[in-house]
Amino acid sequence: MNSVQELVASTEKLLCLPSVYQHIRALLDDPTSTSADMSAVVGSDPAIAARVLQVANSPLYGAPGQISHIDRAVTLMGLQRVHDLALTSMVLGLFSEIQGGPLQGFRENALYRALAARSSARCLGVGDPDRLFVEGLLADIGHLVMYQADPTQRERTTHWARTHHCPLADAEQTLLGFNFAEVGATLACRWALPRGFAAAIGAQLHPARGGPHATEAALIHVANALLESHQETDAEHPSDLDAQALARVDPLCALYLELDIPLMAGIRKQTEQDLTLARGLLH
């Protein structure tokens, strides 16, 4: 592949959102649209409607079993939140098709990252927690594109990263000329997601580059650090995990968010509590 754009285009048939998404997106941008309009569009795709209701009724959203119709979901949650729920349901649908290979563990990691981004927003009192959940869910989707296009890329880049003791993204930049964050941002643009998605996903490695969406990028960056420490099994005490996670956060990002070990501990605990409630969303 000669460019990130060509790479994303090569997987377009495998990684595409249902056509109903563009109608939902158009309603979100239309100041004259109504709850009834959104209900009609979401309800026009029974599979999407069912998944939206599944997510809306999950313990994560505080209304288990209370929302039985799309129109009630729209009334209670508003257009943006239903857009985000619909997008979440579509992305989870894509993830449900992932089976083993170089993407082993991808879905579980994506869910943990999404919950960690949401918990970070809540614990730190910045950003929109529900929007951060969706952005966190999509943060690593660049790897999904890369490994679908060339399943050997993971082995080559992870080997380089281990050999040279560097982050995976640095290995990707060296070997491929781009990294997963750039690919994910390009896919977000191609899907015509709200502008903040591409900015936050693209800047997650260097949040200061996120412009008006630097806070969202910073929260995803923190979620990545928490996920990496979560994957480590050699820490003897939880506080070791929290210290390791904080050490992985860019110093400027940590200063900007005023992070410390107790805050990281609080975010981690909330994430792990939510994880026990959210696993059903992967099935």
Side-chain angles (χ1 to χ4, degrees):
M1 300 295 169
N2 295 322
S3 70
V4 174
Q5 289 78 11
E6 290 175 344
L7 176 68
V8 171
S10 73
T11 61
E12 191 167 22
K13 291 184 179 179
L14 293 173
L15 297 174
C16 60
L17 296 177
S19 58
V20 70
Y21 174 73
Q22 294 306 325
H23 297 295
I24 294 171
R25 177 79 173 83
L27 289 178
L28 187 64
D29 288 342
D30 182 356
T32 67
S33 64
T34 65
S35 297
D37 296 331
M38 183 67 81
S39 298
V41 169
V42 177
S44 69
D45 188 318
I48 296 300
R51 260 204 174 273
V52 167
L53 291 175
Q54 179 196 14
V55 176
N57 282 298
S58 72
L60 288 177
Y61 285 88
Q66 296 180 25
I67 301 176
S68 57
H69 299 287
I70 289 296
D71 55 354
R72 178 165 171 75
V74 176
T75 300
L76 290 176
M77 297 182 172
L79 299 188
Q80 177 178 309
R81 202 170 181 199
V82 169
H83 162 275
D84 290 356
L85 276 174
L87 181 56
T88 296
S89 71
M90 294 172 196
V91 172
L92 288 171
L94 284 176
F95 289 176
S96 69
E97 300 173 8
I98 297 172
Q99 301 288 336
L103 292 165
Q104 183 70 34
F106 180 88
R107 295 185 301 163
E108 292 76 10
N109 290 344
L111 182 59
Y112 188 98
R113 186 184 296 102
L115 293 169
R118 188 176 84 148
S119 296
S120 297
R122 285 182 168 172
C123 292
L124 297 172
V126 294
D128 179 339
D130 292 332
R131 173 57 59 92
L132 261 297
F133 178 86
V134 194
E135 290 177 340
L137 197 64
L138 287 165
D140 197 39
I141 201 163
H143 278 137
L144 184 56
V145 173
M146 293 163 66
Y147 301 156
Q148 290 279 9
D150 182 357
T152 69
Q153 280 187 359
R154 181 173 187 174
E155 183 178 353
R156 289 191 292 122
T157 54
T158 53
H159 176 73
W160 177 278
R162 284 195 303 267
T163 302
H164 293 81
H165 307 287
C166 68
L168 179 59
D170 290 353
E172 292 167 353
Q173 197 71 48
T174 299
L175 295 177
L176 308 174
F178 53 80
N179 61 54
F180 76 95
E182 296 174 58
V183 177
T186 301
L187 181 64
C189 290
R190 196 172 187 90
W191 279 354
L193 301 186
R195 185 177 302 173
F197 280 80
I201 292 169
Q204 62 182 289
L205 300 174
H206 306 285
R209 300 176 184 174
H213 300 283
T215 297
E216 296 159 67
L219 294 170
I220 296 173
H221 181 78
V222 171
N224 285 332
L226 286 161
L227 173 61
E228 289 171 12
S229 68
H230 172 73
Q231 293 171 325
E232 302 229 343
T233 58
D234 57 352
E236 294 183 8
H237 305 288
S239 60
D240 295 337
L241 291 176
D242 304 323
Q244 289 171 14
L246 183 59
R248 287 185 167 96
V249 176
D250 177 85
L252 288 177
C253 180
L255 184 64
Y256 170 64
L257 295 174
E258 299 181 345
L259 291 173
D260 56 25
I261 292 176
L263 273 173
M264 296 298 283
I267 297 169
R268 178 182 56 79
K269 289 176 182 176
Q270 183 62 61
T271 300
E272 292 176 357
Q273 289 172 8
D274 289 344
L275 189 62
T276 63
L277 302 174
R279 292 191 187 279
L281 296 178
L282 295 178
H283 305 293

